[in-house]
Amino acid sequence: MSMLTPPGMGGKYRITGDKYPRMRPPRRRGRLAVAVVASVAALGLVGWGTLQLVDVFTGGGAKSSAAGAKKDCRTKQATAVRQEVLPKPGLITVNVYNATTRGGLAKSTADTLKKRGFKIGTVGNASKQYDKKVKGTGLLLGPAAALNSSLPVLATQLDGAERRTDGRKGGDVDLILGDGFKTLTQQAAADRALAKLTAPQPTAATKKDC
């Protein structure tokens, strides 16, 4: 054994030069690098999992944005003009009947309606079906097609008149004077009612601007 051999080596290490052998094991740099990479990967997985949980409980950013945009939609109202197409008095033929006990009402009423531009058809006493059975100011009768055309125009001439339809053919309408009748509506008021009835009516349509 050489004098340069440290005690206890048992001859395992032999000095061949002028330097002693290393007494500590070499550093394990490879293991240290692997440990660092593993730590970074673990942190990344934890962060990714956290984001996934946030998305699950909040519904995701895209859904939130869509909901926000939908909430911001504003409701607008578009105004349109509705024009009622109603016949003029000169296109309406009116039959005037008296269902009261007072004589001469049918003729005088028919004369007034003629002056106001209506066409006059039959004038006389009411049939048995209506004679002395109309308690109001009057009864307006016409075909189903007249309910929203001729009858509203004729109704401007007599306040409180009831409107009905029957199964008749043709476009003539009846004005049956009742017990409550005194006179036709004053012409100025009737003209205002007719102008209001035929005036364009605005209608509001609601839409969303998103």
Side-chain angles (χ1 to χ4, degrees):
M1 181 181 299
S2 171
M3 295 182 61
L4 296 178
T5 301
M9 290 296 184
K12 184 176 181 180
Y13 297 97
R14 185 175 297 274
I15 303 303
T16 58
D18 56 354
K19 296 182 179 180
Y20 287 99
R22 294 174 179 264
M23 299 302 293
R24 60 182 178 181
R27 296 179 179 177
R28 299 179 180 178
R29 296 181 179 179
R31 294 183 179 180
L32 180 60
V34 172
V36 172
V37 171
S39 299
V40 172
L43 290 175
L45 288 174
V46 171
W48 180 83
T50 302
L51 290 176
Q52 293 298 314
L53 289 176
V54 171
D55 285 343
V56 168
F57 287 103
T58 62
K63 293 182 179 179
S64 298
S65 299
K70 187 175 182 181
K71 186 177 180 180
D72 291 338
C73 289
R74 296 181 180 180
T75 301
K76 293 184 178 181
Q77 285 189 339
T79 302
V81 176
R82 175 174 55 87
Q83 178 68 54
E84 291 288 354
V85 181
L86 297 174
K88 294 181 179 180
L91 299 177
I92 302 174
T93 299
V94 183
N95 303 314
V96 184
Y97 299 108
N98 183 7
T100 73
T101 58
R102 292 171 286 168
L105 286 183
K107 186 178 184 308
S108 62
T109 301
D111 290 342
T112 302
L113 288 176
K114 186 176 181 179
K115 292 178 181 179
R116 296 184 181 183
F118 289 89
K119 288 184 177 182
I120 302 301
T122 303
V123 179
N125 292 325
S127 64
K128 186 178 181 179
Q129 180 181 0
Y130 298 105
D131 189 30
K132 302 179 183 64
K133 297 178 182 179
V134 180
K135 302 303 180 183
T137 58
L139 175 63
L140 307 183
L141 284 175
L147 185 60
N148 295 315
S149 58
S150 300
L151 291 185
V153 175
L154 182 57
T156 62
Q157 309 301 310
L158 181 59
D159 293 335
E162 182 184 356
R163 306 177 202 177
R164 293 183 191 174
T165 61
D166 53 21
R168 73 179 64 190
K169 304 295 182 180
D172 291 3
V173 294
D174 297 345
L175 170 56
I176 304 175
L177 303 176
D179 292 338
F181 176 80
K182 293 182 179 180
T183 184
L184 292 174
T185 304
Q186 295 297 317
Q187 185 169 0
D191 290 344
R192 288 194 298 270
L194 184 59
K196 183 178 180 180
L197 181 66
T198 58
Q201 301 294 324
T203 58
T206 303
K207 65 178 183 178
K208 287 187 177 182
D209 183 13
C210 296

